[in-house]
Structures are given as C-alpha cells and as structure tokens.
C-alpha cells in the first residue's frame, strides 16, 4: 500500500514548550485513520506540520511522498482540510464563503457542492457571523469536502455538530473511503474513532504511545471478567493466574481484569460450579482510560512507533 | 484550615496580586497596555510642547508674535484648534497646540474599551461563564466600568504630574509655571472628553453589539467635534452645536488660567446617565442578543469572491469607505475655509512672509498653497492611523485562524501574502482617492484648478501605502498583530519628530527622519521625487519582505 502521510522522527518544539517528539506515523492510501489523544497531546501540531503551516524542529513529514515544506502547494492541491478552531468571513454569507473557497480551488462540481449543502442542511443565505457554532462547522466541512480531495485532513471535525449531522458526516467519510480516498481524522472522542476508522494512533504528551487496527488495540488491552459462584468465592485460585489483575469480590461474585489470553482463567473456572461467566470486550474508550488515565508518566508501549 | 484548602488560598491570594481577584481588578489588569500607551502619548505631547515653547518662543516678544498669528486665523481654524487664549504662557500654548489631537484621538481608547468590555466578552462567550458565577449582572457591569474609570483616572493623575513638572522644567518667563489647580482642571477636562464617547458606546453595546456601538460612538464624537469646530463658519452647525459636549466645555481652558467648572459637571452628568443606561440595559437584556443596525450592503461584485487579492480588498472595503468618506468630508469643509485664510494672508503680508520661511516656494495667497499648509501635515497623521486599521484588518486572517483554511487551498504563502497585502494597499489608495476627490471638488467649487490638488492629494496614498508596507513586513516576519502596532508607533514618532525638530531647531537630518518631510509640496504640484521613490520602495519592498517572512515562519493561531 502507498503511504499517503508519513512522519519520520517528527519533532516540533515551541521554544521551551513541547509540541511533538519523535513522531513516526504512516497513513496508507484508502484508509480512514484516527488520531486520538487528550487535549494538548500534539494532534493539531502534527497536522499543522503535515500541512506546512508550521515547520518541524527536526524530522520530516511526507504527504503523497512530497516533503511538506518542500512543495506545500502540490500537497494542498490534493487535500481538503478543516482546522480544529477557525473563523471565516463574518461579512459573507455561508454560501458566499463556500463559493469563495471553491473559486480558490479553481472551481468544483456544483452538483456535488449543492448535495453537500443539502445533506448538511445549510442555509447558504445567512451571514456567517449569525450562524451557530455547529452551523459554522458545517460550512467548514463543505469547504473541506466540496472539491472531492484525495486526502481529507480533519481536525476534530464533529465538534459542535448535532447527532443527525454527525451521521451525515460519517456517511460522507465512508463514501470518500469507498471512492478510494484517504481520511486522516483527529479526535478526542473515542467512540467516534471506533465507529469510523480502520486504524488508530494514540498520542499522549507529544509522543505516539500506540498504533494499530481498532480491533487490535482492543484485543491487546484486556477483558473484564465476572464469575458468579453458588458458594464462597475462590479468590486465591484466580488472583495468581497470568495476566490477571484488579481482583475484587463481593458475596458470590468475583471480578477481575485479564490482560492477554483469557485461556488460563477459563481453565481455572472449569474446576468450579458456576452460576454465570461473563467476559466483556472493553470499548476503545475503556481501553484508553485504563491504559493512560491513571499513569501520566506511562512510557510508550511495545507497539509504539510506526504504524505501517 | 485544612491541608487541601491551603494551596487554593495561596492561589487566590496570588491571583489577587496579579489582578485576577475580581472583575474590577481583571479589567484594570487588561488595561495595562492602554494606560501605558495613553500615558506615554500624553507625556510626549506635553513635554514636546514645553520644550518647543521654551526653545522657539523663549522671549515675551516671540510669544506675542505667535499669539497674534493665532488670533489672526479665520474662525474655522480657530474652531479646529481652539480659541487662542493665554498663548503667551507655557501652559496656554500647550493646551492650544495639542487640544485637537488630545480631544480627537484619545477618546478612541474609551470607545474601544467600553464598547467591548461587555459586548466583546459576550461575543467570545466568556461572559456567559462570568455571568453564571455568584456575581449579579449589574455588579459585573459596574466592576468593569470602575476598572476602566480607574485606568483613565490613573493616566490622568500621571498626566497632571507631568504637566506640573513640565512647567517647572521648561518655564522661561513669569507665568510659565503650571499650578496644580490648572493641571487638575486640564486632566479633568481631558478625562471627561475621553469618557463621553466611551459612555455612548457602553450604553449602546448591550443593544447593538460591539462593532455597531463603537461605530455609532465614533460617529457621534466626530459629529460633536466638528459641529463645535465649524459653528462659527457654518450657520447651520451653530443651531445644533449646543448639543456638543465639546461646545459645553470650550470655555474651560485651565492651562491658560480660564476655568469653567460647571461645564465639566454637565459633561460628567451626561457620562453618568449614559453609563447607568448601559448597566440597566445589560442587566435587563439577553446576553449576546443584539439588534442589527441596518447598513448598506456591499454589491456582490465588490465582495471579491474570485481570489485573495479582491477578497482582501473587499474585506477592507467598509473600513476604507468609512475613512475615505470621513477624511474626504473633513477636506471638503477645510477647503471652504481656504478663501478666509487667503484673505488673512493678503491683509497681513508679514504673516505670509513668516510662513514663507517654512514653505519658501509656496504662494500662500493661492488656494492650493493654503490647502497644502492647513491639510497635509495633519492628513498624514490621520492617514497613518487609517493605514494601521487596514493592516490590522489584514492581520485578522491569520489571528482568527482563517489563514489555516485559506492556505489549505493550492496557493503558496508567498503568493497569498502578495495578493492579500496588495488588496490592503489598494484599500489605502481608495481612501486617498476620496480625499483627492474632495480636494478637487472643493477647489472646483471655488473656481480654482482642481487637477493639481487632486493629484497632489495622492501623497496620502504614497504615505499610507509606505507605512502599510512596513506594517506588512513586520507582520509577515514576526506576527500579524505587530504590523498595525508598528504603523501606529511610526505615525506617533513622526509626528513628535517633526514638532521637536522644528521647535528645537535641531539639525536637518532629525526632521528628515520623518518620511512625511520628503514629499515636497504636492498639493501645489511640487513633488519631491525622493519621497515618492522611497514610499514606493517601502510599499512594494515591505510587501515582498513580508511575503518572504511569512513563507519562512510558522503560521500562528
């Protein structure tokens, strides 16, 4: 697969402040790639570097094989972008704003432009400054999508959108993927990424801490297991098993967390009478929180690094 | 005290020390830069005036000559500059020489501050958060007001001290010392003149929002000033001039030893009423919901949707139109005073001779010669401020985050900067075109040659685009917000440089530092090529340098 975005040891510092450090990332052609991280983790810095809005302190970013700072216009010709925070022209209407950016692109397919305006339920006659936050975001989305770019770079694109419009947006993303386009999507909303993306990278404190397929990340993490016994709970028989942690019990119920293969727990449970055995696959959100919420200094995991 | 509470208390105390302990303190803290700029401006003007008076008019005889010259001016110019009272004293000269500058430009501070203190925060959304704390709306409004009043008061106290010290430092004749009551009277007047337009903006801002309230307050200030200034020359103005607070307070000339305290009470009462209206409206109305003030729509063809050049021009167009129409109107009114001045020069040949020392090749009995004398120097200052507002608008592309979206289109930063910067320069040329048209119209209506003043007035375009070029270069290399600040700083420095160099008889090169000194006498058709070339180089070169700078640095948000 061709790499559409590739960062190599990308580092960006703002004076003494950390931006991103040694970020290695590969986004392949045709995939929807999620870029996850808490606020201030370095998502926007990475994106802005890829677009040559800011320049790397060291390392480099290649987009379509072109180094971002070498020929940014060649890159911009093939992308659509929506920043995390932006303001457009207060004195123009939504429709005029969309048309201006279409003109900057040398024109767009008017039928597709109209279809986007209809799908996002935009009133193009209203002044931009009179629009709500969500409606301003919709204008930004149309600006990014209307020229049907090969690569969509979307920084927290669903911010401020209502659920119905979010649904329309995800449909458009899926259509773009079906048409062979690539989507790079940053978010701190895990369910959004889980629903939309093929692969995910997690960034924290400026460093990539994990990359992989969405389901791989989930499997790599853990299972929440709950066993109900008719009598006393044999805590000791389970507490020492490989991968088991966070063992708690009350009345006749034993709860534990299993990292890695669940087989030892299943085998141990087979030796007891059980009323119930529940193993639940965690959501990506639970994985993320379990993995990174408790330990702010957690080092990069074994999977750190290239996502290729 | 619990252990957990200790750090919080520390933080609160630290916050109070840093001006974050209350809405009042935060407002005062946010005013630090404005206080500094206003104080430096006032101190510079007063010290410069004191030094000029001591050097150029150090004897009783020279002062009487200057006073006679001022008294011989036609009513329209006396209206603009103020009545020539007490010009033989240091304080009287300072007040007469700088009243117009102080009374006309400093209120902009209060307009900007009081139009945005509530409405601006409502636009940003932060007022919703402040208003949902335990503070009542009325208290929030009052604390914000008190913060601004304290900032103005602090500036005035420092100004009073500077006045007294100036009298002591530069006084050369008996009566030059500035007594404390005169200094207090002057800063009371200045403070009130600053606050009236701000109070208008404050009263309207809950109703019509930040931009409209600032615009209406600025228009009211300009109208009030000119109604008073031209009431002696234009009978129609005399009918409505009593409504102007400049007219109410015109009898109060404290640095000349003339006091009219009751007139200040009337202005103070107006301020109190307007501020109270603003507080009540803010308390009763929905936050952030404003009435739209109808304004003429710009035709679709002028919006500039085709590309960055015309978009930048279209975006600057309302500002350029406002400046162009405003200065154009001023020039038109000024031209109507030219015949009266010609008459003065004809009747007082010694006066024309004195002016010929400054403008040796200009015929002061001609229309164009007089227009050159009364308009160009002041016009250049106003043009500098206009250029700063245009460049500030240009800078908003980047500071608002819009540039991120723009640059994701297939256009290089260099090309974007060249085109959008050129759009800003075109807006300045448009302002100059209005000025030139007004000068030509004024000349033609009085039966004079309109072509030479028309072409000569484009000196405003040269000066404005040169300063804008510097601003664009600074904004491109460093950060966009620095561009307008650099232009304003250059404008003020040029203004002070010319006054100081002339008054203190400093070497020619000091006066030549100001770009405005290198244009010759363009309104009479006498151009200095050096200034024209320098301006074009600064305008075009600054744009290119800015484009290179932007291409090399990070885009800021």
């Amino acid at each position: 697969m061709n790499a559409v975005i590739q960062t190599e040891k990308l580092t960006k510092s703002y004076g003494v402040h950390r931006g991103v450090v040694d970020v290695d990332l590969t986004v392949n052609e045709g995939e929807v790639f999620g870029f996850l991280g808490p606020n201030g983790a370095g998502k926007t810095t990475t994106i802005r570097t890829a677009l040559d809005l800011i320049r790397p302190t060291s390392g480099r970013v290649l987009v379509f094989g072109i180094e971002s700072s070498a020929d940014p216009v060649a890159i911009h010709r093939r992308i659509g972008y929506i920043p995390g925070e932006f303001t457009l022209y207060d004195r123009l209407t939504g429709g005029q704003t969309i048309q201006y950016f279409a003109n900057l692109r040398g024109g767009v397919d008017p039928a597709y432009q109209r279809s986007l305006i209809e799908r996002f339920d935009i009133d193009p006659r209203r002044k931009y400054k009179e629009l709500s936050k969500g409606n301003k975001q919709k204008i930004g989305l149309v600006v990014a999508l209307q020229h049907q770019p090969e690569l969509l770079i979307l920084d927290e694109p669903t911010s401020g959108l209502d659920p119905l419009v979010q649904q329309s947006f995800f449909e458009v993303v899926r259509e773009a993927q079906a048409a062979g386009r690539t989507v790079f999507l940053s978010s701190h909303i895990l369910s959004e990424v889980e629903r939309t993306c093929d692969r995910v990278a997690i960034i924290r404190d400026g460093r990539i801490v994990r990359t992989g397929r969405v389901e791989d990340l989930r499997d790599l993490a853990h299972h929440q297991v709950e066993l109900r016994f008719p009598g006393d709970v044999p805590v000791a028989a389970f507490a020492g098993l490989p991968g088991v942690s966070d063992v708690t019990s009350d009345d006749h119920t034993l709860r534990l967390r299993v990292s890695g293969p669940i087989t030892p727990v299943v085998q141990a449970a087979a030796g007891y009478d059980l009323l119930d055995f529940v193993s639940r696959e965690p959501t990506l959100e639970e994985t993320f929180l379990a993995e990174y919420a408790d330990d702010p200094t957690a080092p990069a995991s074994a999977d750190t690094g290239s996502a290729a | 005290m619990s252990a957990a509470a200790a750090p919080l208390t520390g933080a609160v105390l630290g916050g109070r020390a840093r001006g974050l302990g209350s809405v009042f303190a935060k407002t005062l803290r946010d005013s630090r830069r404005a206080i500094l700029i206003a104080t430096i401006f006032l101190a510079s003007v007063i010290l410069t005036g004191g030094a000029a008076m001591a050097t150029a008019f150090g004897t009783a005889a020279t002062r009487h000559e200057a006073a006679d010259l001022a008294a011989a001016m036609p009513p329209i110019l006396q209206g603009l500059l103020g009545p020539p009272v007490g010009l033989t004293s240091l304080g009287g000269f300072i007040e007469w020489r700088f009243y117009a500058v102080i009374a006309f430009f400093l209120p902009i501070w209060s307009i900007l501050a009081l139009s945005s203190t509530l409405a601006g925060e409502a636009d940003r959304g932060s007022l919703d958060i402040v208003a949902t704390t335990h503070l009542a709306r009325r208290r929030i409004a009052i604390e914000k007001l008190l913060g601004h009043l304290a900032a103005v008061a602090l500036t005035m106290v420092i100004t009073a001290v500077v006045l007294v010290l100036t009298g002591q430092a530069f006084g050369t004749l008996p009566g030059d010392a500035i007594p404390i009551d005169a200094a207090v009277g002057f800063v009371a007047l200045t403070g009130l003149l600053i606050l009236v337009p701000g109070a208008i903006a404050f009263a309207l801002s809950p109703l019509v929002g930040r931009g409209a309230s600032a615009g209406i307050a600025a228009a009211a200030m300009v109208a009030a000033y000119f109604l008073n200034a031209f009431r002696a020359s234009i009978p129609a103005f005399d009918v409505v001039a009593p409504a102007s607070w400049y007219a109410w307070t015109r009898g109060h000339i404290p640095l000349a030893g003339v006091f009219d305290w009751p007139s200040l009470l009337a202005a103070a009462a107006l301020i109190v009423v307007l501020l109270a209206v603003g507080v009540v409206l803010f308390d009763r109305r929905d936050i952030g919901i404003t009435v739209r003030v109808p304004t003429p729509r710009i035709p679709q063809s002028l919006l500039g949707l085709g590309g960055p050049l015309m978009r930048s021009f279209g975006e600057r167009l309302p500002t350029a139109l406002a400046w162009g129409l405003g200065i154009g109107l001023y020039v038109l009114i000024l031209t109507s005073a030219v015949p009266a001045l010609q008459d003065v020069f004809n009747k007082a040949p010694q006066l024309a001779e004195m002016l010929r020392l400054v403008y040796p090749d200009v015929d002061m009995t001609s229309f164009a010669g007089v227009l050159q004398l009364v308009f160009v120097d002041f016009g250049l200052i106003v043009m500098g401020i206009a250029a700063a507002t245009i460049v500030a608008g240009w800078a908003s592309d980047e500071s608002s985050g819009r540039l991120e979206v723009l640059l994701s289109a297939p256009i290089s930063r260099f090309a974007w900067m060249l085109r959008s910067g050129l759009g800003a320069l075109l807006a300045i040329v448009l302002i100059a075109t209005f000025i030139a048209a007004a000068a030509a119209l004024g000349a033609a209506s009085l039966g004079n040659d309109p072509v030479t003043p028309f072409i000569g007035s484009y000196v405003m375009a040269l000066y404005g685009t040169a300063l804008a070029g510097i601003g664009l270069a600074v904004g491109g290399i460093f950060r966009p917000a620095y561009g307008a600040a650099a232009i304003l700083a250059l404008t003020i420095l040029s203004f002070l440089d010319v006054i100081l160099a002339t008054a203190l008889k400093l070497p020619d090169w000091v006066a030549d530092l100001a770009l405005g000194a290198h244009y010759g006498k363009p309104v009479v058709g006498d151009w200095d090529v050096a200034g024209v070339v320098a301006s074009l180089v600064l305008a075009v070169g600054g744009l290119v340098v800015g484009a290179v700078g932007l291409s090399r640095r990070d885009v800021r948000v």
Side-chain angles (χ1 to χ4, degrees):
Chain A
M1 261 193 223
N2 292 330
V4 172
I5 301 176
Q6 188 162 21
T7 68
E8 296 173 359
K9 296 284 177 204
L10 176 66
T11 298
K12 175 67 183 178
S13 306
Y14 301 102
V16 295
H17 300 290
R18 182 269 304 154
V20 293
V21 183
D22 288 340
V23 167
D24 287 324
L25 201 66
T26 302
V27 178
N28 293 316
E29 187 178 355
E31 71 178 348
V32 180
F33 192 96
F35 197 32
L36 268 172
N39 296 329
K43 302 187 294 292
T44 300
T45 296
T46 306
I47 288 173
R48 297 182 80 228
T49 314
L51 292 169
D52 188 47
L53 295 169
I54 54 176
R55 308 276 160 66
T57 306
S58 64
R60 62 179 190 158
V61 189
L62 302 170
V63 183
F64 299 117
I66 304 164
E67 189 165 348
S68 61
S69 53
D71 190 356
V73 175
I75 295 170
H76 295 168
R77 197 165 280 128
R78 299 164 70 181
I79 62 118
Y81 169 57
I82 180 169
E85 287 179 24
F86 63 91
T87 300
L88 298 177
Y89 298 99
D90 281 347
R91 294 197 188 110
L92 297 187
T93 63
Q96 288 166 338
T97 304
I98 290 167
Q99 193 52 47
Y100 174 55
F101 283 98
N103 292 340
L104 286 183
R105 293 271 173 199
V108 299
D109 175 4
Y112 186 66
Q113 184 190 61
R114 265 199 309 277
S115 77
L116 286 172
I117 290 172
E118 282 166 15
R119 287 172 79 168
F120 288 131
D121 194 23
I122 291 169
D123 180 356
R125 291 162 304 180
R126 290 191 66 187
K127 281 260 172 80
Y128 180 81
K129 70 175 175 188
E130 293 167 357
L131 298 175
S132 67
K133 184 186 173 189
N135 280 320
K136 287 177 178 171
Q137 187 75 3
K138 290 183 203 173
I139 301 286
L141 284 172
V142 176
V143 165
L145 292 162
Q146 63 179 340
H147 54 290
Q148 303 181 66
E150 292 172 59
L151 168 64
L152 274 165
I153 298 180
L154 310 169
D155 194 357
E156 308 203 354
T158 57
S159 167
L161 298 182
D162 65 51
L164 280 176
V165 181
Q166 282 188 27
Q167 204 172 338
S168 299
F169 165 71
F170 288 123
E171 277 172 21
V172 173
V173 168
R174 277 189 285 272
E175 286 170 14
Q177 187 186 24
R181 301 196 187 100
T182 309
V183 181
F184 184 76
L185 169 79
S186 93
S187 179
H188 61 269
I189 303 168
L190 299 157
S191 56
E192 176 177 294
V193 170
E194 192 172 14
R195 188 152 51 119
T196 322
C197 299
D198 304 313
R199 288 196 310 133
V200 177
I202 297 172
I203 187 168
R204 191 171 188 285
D205 290 338
R207 294 176 186 273
I208 298 289
V209 290
R210 182 157 287 177
T211 54
R213 299 193 67 77
V214 170
E215 55 271 24
D216 291 343
L217 285 180
R218 221 181 274 133
D219 289 345
L220 276 170
H222 67 276
H223 288 77
Q224 287 291 348
V225 177
E226 191 174 292
L227 302 102
R228 286 182 60 217
F229 297 89
D232 292 340
V233 176
V235 176
F238 290 87
L241 293 174
V244 169
S245 61
D246 299 346
V247 180
T248 58
S249 66
D250 57 64
D251 294 334
H252 303 288
T253 305
L254 177 69
R255 294 185 186 83
L256 43 89
R257 180 172 186 258
V258 185
S259 300
I262 199 170
T263 315
V265 176
V266 174
Q267 285 173 343
Y272 296 90
D273 282 339
L274 288 174
L275 295 177
D276 201 1
F277 182 110
V278 179
S279 173
R280 192 168 58 81
E281 197 176 43
T283 63
L284 194 59
E285 187 144 3
E286 285 168 323
T287 303
F288 187 77
L289 289 172
E291 204 58 37
Y292 306 112
D294 296 337
D295 181 7
T297 58
S301 72
D303 202 17
T304 297
S306 173
Chain B
M1 184 190 292
S2 71
L8 181 64
T9 307
V12 169
L13 286 174
R16 286 188 189 285
R18 291 192 298 274
L20 298 173
S22 65
V23 173
F24 167 79
K26 168 79 165 49
T27 308
L28 194 55
R29 182 182 194 269
D30 292 344
S31 305
R32 286 175 302 181
R33 192 177 297 175
I35 293 171
L36 193 66
I37 292 169
T39 304
I40 289 174
F41 176 74
L42 278 165
S44 304
V45 159
I46 291 164
L47 290 169
T48 304
M53 184 70 169
T55 311
F57 306 104
T59 64
T62 52
R63 289 192 189 185
H64 281 293
E65 267 179 36
D68 291 344
L69 175 66
M73 285 184 172
I76 200 162
L77 285 183
Q78 287 194 15
L80 276 174
L81 295 170
V85 177
L87 294 197
T88 51
S89 72
L90 183 74
F93 175 80
I94 291 173
E95 184 155 4
W96 177 78
R97 178 67 182 83
F98 299 111
Y99 171 82
V101 177
I102 291 170
F104 201 71
F105 291 120
L106 272 182
I108 294 170
W109 169 22
S110 198
I111 291 173
L112 293 176
L114 289 183
S115 63
S116 65
T117 190
L118 291 169
E121 202 167 340
D123 285 351
R124 288 197 302 274
S126 54
L127 191 57
D128 284 6
I129 301 170
V130 178
T132 49
T133 63
H134 67 285
L135 299 174
R137 277 204 213 178
R138 193 166 288 210
R139 180 171 163 188
I140 292 168
I142 289 171
E143 284 201 33
K144 279 181 168 286
L145 269 182
L146 290 176
H148 180 65
L149 293 178
V152 173
L154 182 61
T155 306
M156 292 305 113
V157 168
I158 298 169
T159 304
V161 172
V162 171
L163 270 171
V164 173
L165 293 177
T166 299
Q168 290 173 358
F170 297 111
T172 53
L173 295 175
D176 275 354
I178 297 176
I180 290 174
D181 63 338
V184 170
F186 178 78
V187 297
L189 171 69
T190 306
L192 291 171
L193 292 180
I194 289 173
L195 286 171
V196 174
I200 295 172
F202 184 80
L204 292 174
S205 64
L207 204 60
V208 298
R210 177 178 50 171
S213 64
I216 294 170
M221 181 189 77
V222 172
Y225 186 82
F226 285 123
L227 281 174
N228 175 58
F230 300 133
R231 64 187 299 186
S233 313
I234 304 173
F237 281 17
D238 197 38
V239 179
V240 280
S244 163
W245 55 93
Y246 291 103
W248 305 347
T249 56
R250 210 58 206 100
H252 183 73
I253 315 168
L255 297 185
V258 179
F259 295 89
D260 181 9
W261 294 104
S263 72
L264 299 193
L265 286 179
L270 175 65
I271 291 167
V272 170
V273 169
L274 288 168
L275 296 181
V277 168
V279 171
V280 171
L281 281 177
F282 174 67
D283 189 36
R284 294 189 178 181
R285 285 186 58 83
D286 296 340
I287 290 179
I289 306 298
T290 54
V291 178
R292 189 174 169 185
V293 178
T295 48
R297 279 184 174 264
I298 294 174
Q300 176 90 10
S301 56
L302 291 177
L303 282 172
L305 302 181
L309 192 157
M310 290 315 291
R311 183 80 279 274
S312 174
F313 178 74
E315 196 67 7
R316 314 282 90 78
L317 191 56
T319 310
L321 287 175
W323 277 111
L325 288 169
I327 308 174
L329 187 64
Y330 171 75
V331 170
L332 208 53
I333 293 170
L334 211 54
T335 54
S336 69
V338 169
L341 266 174
Q342 285 175 284
D343 196 38
V344 169
F345 293 140
N346 280 325
K347 287 177 182 166
Q350 74 282 8
L351 186 57
E353 278 304 314
M354 273 181 68
L355 289 169
R356 215 161 272 136
L357 295 174
V358 184
Y359 296 102
D361 305 324
V362 179
D363 178 7
M364 287 301 164
T365 58
S366 72
F367 174 87
V370 177
L371 192 61
Q372 167 77 39
L373 175 71
V374 297
F375 170 61
V376 173
D377 289 343
F378 180 72
L380 292 180
I381 300 170
V382 178
M383 202 63 202
I385 297 169
T389 61
I390 294 289
V391 170
W394 163 85
S396 70
D397 267 354
E398 187 170 354
S399 55
S400 68
R402 191 160 54 226
L403 189 57
E404 300 244 326
V405 191
L406 287 161
L407 288 180
S408 71
I411 179 170
S412 70
R413 293 191 200 186
F414 188 84
W416 176 84
M417 176 78 188
L418 280 190
R419 293 178 198 177
S420 66
L422 194 57
L425 297 183
L426 285 177
I428 291 170
V429 174
L430 179 69
I431 297 173
T433 302
F434 275 94
I435 297 170
L441 192 64
S445 67
L446 295 168
N448 294 287
D449 162 37
V451 179
T452 309
F454 179 82
I455 297 170
S457 297
Y458 274 97
V459 69
M460 298 295 150
L462 285 171
Y463 188 68
T465 52
L467 287 185
I470 295 170
L472 291 170
V474 171
I477 294 170
F478 301 105
R479 61 169 59 209
Y482 292 171
I487 295 173
L488 275 180
L490 276 173
T491 303
I492 293 170
L493 286 174
S494 300
F495 167 67
L496 296 175
D497 176 63
V498 171
I499 291 175
L500 268 179
T502 310
L504 302 182
K505 299 187 173 102
L506 297 175
D508 288 347
W509 65 265
V510 178
D512 288 347
L513 288 174
L515 179 61
H518 296 278
Y519 291 119
K521 276 75 65 180
V523 179
V524 296
D526 177 15
W527 288 87
D528 183 342
V529 178
V532 176
V533 172
S535 296
L536 292 173
V537 167
L538 283 171
V540 177
L543 183 57
V544 173
V545 168
V548 171
L550 180 67
S551 302
R552 288 166 180 258
R553 69 164 167 82
D554 290 348
V555 173
R556 298 177 192 280
V557 286

